[in-house]
Amino acid sequence: QAQLLESGGGSVQAGGSLKLSCAASSYFFVSCGMAWYRQAPGKEERELVSTISLDGATTYADSVKGRFTISQDNAKNTLYLHMSSLKTEDTGVYYCAGDCVLGTFRGPPEFNRWGQGTQVTVSS
């Protein structure tokens, strides 16, 4: 079964950087759009942070533009999120996701496949 496994989370001071990784089955990188979501403490909904399509096009939430970079290494079957100039409001659980139905993350959440999440904590 296709799986997603995040790593790289941790605690960092505001202004610092972290790089998240998501190891995934090769299936995702030939069939699915990929994305990073996050869920802030106390919030039920996950926020779409960044996406990368099969042709390499990227999108970013306004709150992270200029600070976060999404990328993928198809040879390593790994998705990345490089986060810099971190703010306390970036704190949350970060999830790797694949949309293998639409590829755009514009459908219902059940269209997505999810990793288990990795915690990012940014302190002031």
mmCIF file with all atom_site columns, all heavy atoms in Angstrom, residues 32 52-58 72:
data_model
loop_
_atom_site.group_PDB
_atom_site.id
_atom_site.type_symbol
_atom_site.label_atom_id
_atom_site.label_alt_id
_atom_site.label_comp_id
_atom_site.label_asym_id
_atom_site.label_entity_id
_atom_site.label_seq_id
_atom_site.pdbx_PDB_ins_code
_atom_site.Cartn_x
_atom_site.Cartn_y
_atom_site.Cartn_z
_atom_site.occupancy
_atom_site.B_iso_or_equiv
_atom_site.pdbx_formal_charge
_atom_site.auth_seq_id
_atom_site.auth_comp_id
_atom_site.auth_asym_id
_atom_site.auth_atom_id
_atom_site.pdbx_PDB_model_num
ATOM 1  N N   . CYS A 1 32 ? 0.530  11.553 -8.749  1.00 0.00 ? 32 CYS A N   1
ATOM 2  C CA  . CYS A 1 32 ? -0.203 12.401 -7.801  1.00 0.00 ? 32 CYS A CA  1
ATOM 3  C C   . CYS A 1 32 ? 0.426  13.781 -7.663  1.00 0.00 ? 32 CYS A C   1
ATOM 4  O O   . CYS A 1 32 ? 1.653  13.914 -7.731  1.00 0.00 ? 32 CYS A O   1
ATOM 5  C CB  . CYS A 1 32 ? -0.214 11.754 -6.412  1.00 0.00 ? 32 CYS A CB  1
ATOM 6  S SG  . CYS A 1 32 ? -0.647 10.007 -6.393  1.00 0.00 ? 32 CYS A SG  1
ATOM 7  N N   . ILE A 1 52 ? 2.892  20.909 -5.051  1.00 0.00 ? 52 ILE A N   1
ATOM 8  C CA  . ILE A 1 52 ? 3.720  20.760 -6.239  1.00 0.00 ? 52 ILE A CA  1
ATOM 9  C C   . ILE A 1 52 ? 3.034  19.757 -7.154  1.00 0.00 ? 52 ILE A C   1
ATOM 10 O O   . ILE A 1 52 ? 2.652  18.672 -6.718  1.00 0.00 ? 52 ILE A O   1
ATOM 11 C CB  . ILE A 1 52 ? 5.165  20.344 -5.882  1.00 0.00 ? 52 ILE A CB  1
ATOM 12 C CG1 . ILE A 1 52 ? 6.037  20.309 -7.148  1.00 0.00 ? 52 ILE A CG1 1
ATOM 13 C CG2 . ILE A 1 52 ? 5.210  19.034 -5.119  1.00 0.00 ? 52 ILE A CG2 1
ATOM 14 C CD1 . ILE A 1 52 ? 7.529  20.243 -6.845  1.00 0.00 ? 52 ILE A CD1 1
ATOM 15 N N   . SER A 1 53 ? 2.832  20.145 -8.395  1.00 0.00 ? 53 SER A N   1
ATOM 16 C CA  . SER A 1 53 ? 2.102  19.306 -9.326  1.00 0.00 ? 53 SER A CA  1
ATOM 17 C C   . SER A 1 53 ? 3.050  18.354 -10.045 1.00 0.00 ? 53 SER A C   1
ATOM 18 O O   . SER A 1 53 ? 4.285  18.439 -9.905  1.00 0.00 ? 53 SER A O   1
ATOM 19 C CB  . SER A 1 53 ? 1.375  20.176 -10.353 1.00 0.00 ? 53 SER A CB  1
ATOM 20 O OG  . SER A 1 53 ? 2.317  20.835 -11.174 1.00 0.00 ? 53 SER A OG  1
ATOM 21 N N   . LEU A 1 54 ? 2.475  17.466 -10.829 1.00 0.00 ? 54 LEU A N   1
ATOM 22 C CA  . LEU A 1 54 ? 3.283  16.493 -11.561 1.00 0.00 ? 54 LEU A CA  1
ATOM 23 C C   . LEU A 1 54 ? 4.237  17.168 -12.543 1.00 0.00 ? 54 LEU A C   1
ATOM 24 O O   . LEU A 1 54 ? 5.303  16.628 -12.842 1.00 0.00 ? 54 LEU A O   1
ATOM 25 C CB  . LEU A 1 54 ? 2.382  15.497 -12.291 1.00 0.00 ? 54 LEU A CB  1
ATOM 26 C CG  . LEU A 1 54 ? 1.738  14.428 -11.403 1.00 0.00 ? 54 LEU A CG  1
ATOM 27 C CD1 . LEU A 1 54 ? 0.659  13.685 -12.169 1.00 0.00 ? 54 LEU A CD1 1
ATOM 28 C CD2 . LEU A 1 54 ? 2.782  13.456 -10.882 1.00 0.00 ? 54 LEU A CD2 1
ATOM 29 N N   . ASP A 1 55 ? 3.862  18.361 -13.024 1.00 0.00 ? 55 ASP A N   1
ATOM 30 C CA  . ASP A 1 55 ? 4.763  19.053 -13.952 1.00 0.00 ? 55 ASP A CA  1
ATOM 31 C C   . ASP A 1 55 ? 5.672  20.046 -13.241 1.00 0.00 ? 55 ASP A C   1
ATOM 32 O O   . ASP A 1 55 ? 6.367  20.822 -13.891 1.00 0.00 ? 55 ASP A O   1
ATOM 33 C CB  . ASP A 1 55 ? 3.972  19.762 -15.055 1.00 0.00 ? 55 ASP A CB  1
ATOM 34 C CG  . ASP A 1 55 ? 3.045  20.831 -14.523 1.00 0.00 ? 55 ASP A CG  1
ATOM 35 O OD1 . ASP A 1 55 ? 3.037  21.070 -13.300 1.00 0.00 ? 55 ASP A OD1 1
ATOM 36 O OD2 . ASP A 1 55 ? 2.321  21.445 -15.335 1.00 0.00 ? 55 ASP A OD2 1
ATOM 37 N N   . GLY A 1 56 ? 5.653  20.011 -11.898 1.00 0.00 ? 56 GLY A N   1
ATOM 38 C CA  . GLY A 1 56 ? 6.589  20.813 -11.128 1.00 0.00 ? 56 GLY A CA  1
ATOM 39 C C   . GLY A 1 56 ? 6.113  22.191 -10.722 1.00 0.00 ? 56 GLY A C   1
ATOM 40 O O   . GLY A 1 56 ? 6.851  22.931 -10.058 1.00 0.00 ? 56 GLY A O   1
ATOM 41 N N   . ALA A 1 57 ? 4.888  22.538 -11.099 1.00 0.00 ? 57 ALA A N   1
ATOM 42 C CA  . ALA A 1 57 ? 4.359  23.843 -10.711 1.00 0.00 ? 57 ALA A CA  1
ATOM 43 C C   . ALA A 1 57 ? 4.104  23.865 -9.204  1.00 0.00 ? 57 ALA A C   1
ATOM 44 O O   . ALA A 1 57 ? 3.633  22.874 -8.642  1.00 0.00 ? 57 ALA A O   1
ATOM 45 C CB  . ALA A 1 57 ? 3.071  24.135 -11.468 1.00 0.00 ? 57 ALA A CB  1
ATOM 46 N N   . THR A 1 58 ? 4.405  24.971 -8.572  1.00 0.00 ? 58 THR A N   1
ATOM 47 C CA  . THR A 1 58 ? 4.266  25.074 -7.110  1.00 0.00 ? 58 THR A CA  1
ATOM 48 C C   . THR A 1 58 ? 3.299  26.193 -6.726  1.00 0.00 ? 58 THR A C   1
ATOM 49 O O   . THR A 1 58 ? 3.131  27.173 -7.458  1.00 0.00 ? 58 THR A O   1
ATOM 50 C CB  . THR A 1 58 ? 5.626  25.343 -6.455  1.00 0.00 ? 58 THR A CB  1
ATOM 51 O OG1 . THR A 1 58 ? 6.173  26.561 -6.974  1.00 0.00 ? 58 THR A OG1 1
ATOM 52 C CG2 . THR A 1 58 ? 6.594  24.204 -6.715  1.00 0.00 ? 58 THR A CG2 1
ATOM 53 N N   . GLN A 1 72 ? 10.923 18.317 -4.688  1.00 0.00 ? 72 GLN A N   1
ATOM 54 C CA  . GLN A 1 72 ? 10.898 16.866 -4.617  1.00 0.00 ? 72 GLN A CA  1
ATOM 55 C C   . GLN A 1 72 ? 12.071 16.295 -5.396  1.00 0.00 ? 72 GLN A C   1
ATOM 56 O O   . GLN A 1 72 ? 12.559 16.901 -6.351  1.00 0.00 ? 72 GLN A O   1
ATOM 57 C CB  . GLN A 1 72 ? 9.579  16.285 -5.125  1.00 0.00 ? 72 GLN A CB  1
ATOM 58 C CG  . GLN A 1 72 ? 9.260  16.557 -6.579  1.00 0.00 ? 72 GLN A CG  1
ATOM 59 C CD  . GLN A 1 72 ? 7.853  16.103 -6.944  1.00 0.00 ? 72 GLN A CD  1
ATOM 60 O OE1 . GLN A 1 72 ? 6.892  16.325 -6.210  1.00 0.00 ? 72 GLN A OE1 1
ATOM 61 N NE2 . GLN A 1 72 ? 7.740  15.459 -8.091  1.00 0.00 ? 72 GLN A NE2 1
#
